[in-house]
Amino acid sequence: MLKVEGINVYYGHIQALKEVSLEIKQGEIVTLIGANGAGKSTLLKTISGLLKPKKGTVVFEGKNINGKAAQTIVKQGISHVPEGRRIFANMSVEENLELGAYLRKDKKGVKDDFDMVFDLFPRLQERIKQQAGTLSGGEQQMLAMGRALMARPRLLLLDEPSMGLAPLLVKTIFRIIEEINKGGTTILLVEQNAHMALSVANMAYVLETGRVVISGHPDELHSSEQVKMAYLGGH
């Protein structure tokens, strides 16, 4: 479904991604783990069109999307939930969700997707008229995910969905990630919580200083000494 091949991305003179390649098959959850500053968010921003690679290609469903505008990439079926949630704090929950669907013309489909989002996140329905900035951190994360789903993506990019959340909420968010995936959405997940990320993924990649250093089935990564020591607290 997605093929990233040999991409190099720079911030000014600093190279953030070095010859990064990865593949995602339809229906999978693929996770990217790595330390802060390894290039995980940069990779998601490159796929979603917020950054342009200097070299390499990003191919989605057989089409090269390199250099396309971010809104064009949303139209083609990729939604991005950025790190830090980036909701519109002064708008209501309802308005935030409506903005997620701003490129769509199918009114009935949009109404159905409101119902789908409220099924996944009942808390958002309870808070529908509330200003988004007054929600708790967990509710804001749910809103950011719900807003991305309103574009009806076939591929969902999730950047650190559990960051700053209480352990119980982390479990809830991961259960919902699995539900979204079972509903037919393919997911690329960037996550600091390597244990949780590997527990839901079909395939995993480890990024270190802008390079993919290990990739494989989550079970293989779980049993790799290198991964254990660096990301799983040695367990």
Side-chain angles (χ1 to χ4, degrees):
M1 186 182 212
L2 184 83
K3 191 169 187 173
V4 173
E5 212 158 3
I7 61 169
N8 291 336
V9 176
Y10 289 79
Y11 291 109
H13 294 301
I14 296 162
Q15 189 168 0
L17 293 178
K18 301 159 189 164
E19 297 294 325
V20 169
S21 298
L22 65 80
E23 282 188 20
I24 301 175
K25 296 188 178 76
Q26 191 164 353
E28 285 187 326
I29 298 179
V30 173
T31 189
L32 276 177
I33 57 178
N36 272 339
K40 305 183 304 293
S41 295
T42 301
L43 181 54
L44 294 196
K45 286 176 183 167
T46 306
I47 294 166
S48 66
L50 298 172
L51 292 171
K52 307 282 180 272
K54 205 156 200 178
K55 178 176 168 245
T57 55
V58 181
V59 176
F60 177 61
E61 294 181 334
K63 295 189 187 93
N64 189 343
I65 57 170
N66 255 13
K68 293 262 170 76
Q71 66 267 30
T72 306
I73 290 174
V74 172
K75 255 187 190 157
Q76 285 188 301
I78 299 178
S79 284
H80 184 174
V81 181
E83 187 181 354
R85 304 173 189 124
R86 306 284 174 88
I87 54 157
F88 299 102
N90 301 327
M91 292 181 168
S92 69
V93 166
E94 185 174 28
E95 288 164 334
N96 268 270
L97 293 173
E98 281 168 352
L99 277 170
Y102 83 103
L103 289 172
R104 293 175 57 182
K105 304 281 182 277
D106 55 323
K107 284 208 169 68
K108 184 185 180 317
V110 170
K111 187 185 173 305
D112 290 345
D113 284 352
F114 259 101
D115 294 340
M116 176 268 294
V117 167
F118 292 147
D119 279 346
L120 285 169
F121 306 106
R123 194 86 57 86
L124 295 182
Q125 190 163 18
E126 291 163 20
R127 310 254 189 281
I128 186 162
K129 297 296 182 194
Q130 200 168 314
Q131 260 201 339
T134 63
L135 300 176
S136 70
E139 289 163 352
Q140 289 188 15
Q141 184 59 54
M142 292 172 188
L143 180 56
M145 289 166 70
R147 182 180 62 188
L149 289 171
M150 289 301 295
R152 202 175 273 187
R154 293 185 298 288
L155 174 63
L156 182 64
L157 311 178
L158 286 173
D159 197 350
E160 302 287 7
S162 80
M163 189 187 267
L165 301 184
L168 201 62
L169 259 177
V170 172
K171 282 198 171 118
T172 303
I173 290 291
F174 271 87
R175 180 179 52 72
I176 292 165
I177 289 169
E178 288 187 286
E179 272 182 51
I180 292 168
N181 179 247
K182 283 191 187 107
T185 307
T186 306
I187 294 173
L188 177 56
L189 170 68
V190 160
E191 180 53 61
Q192 284 278 299
N193 187 331
H195 271 296
M196 289 297 280
L198 291 173
S199 73
V200 299
N202 306 100
M203 178 73 182
Y205 291 82
V206 178
L207 267 186
E208 273 178 20
T209 57
R211 291 182 196 281
V212 173
V213 290
I214 306 173
S215 63
H217 190 273
D219 292 346
E220 293 165 34
L221 269 68
H222 251 304
S223 53
S224 147
E225 286 308 317
Q226 188 183 348
V227 173
K228 268 190 212 170
M229 293 307 292
Y231 306 107
L232 302 173
H235 304 310

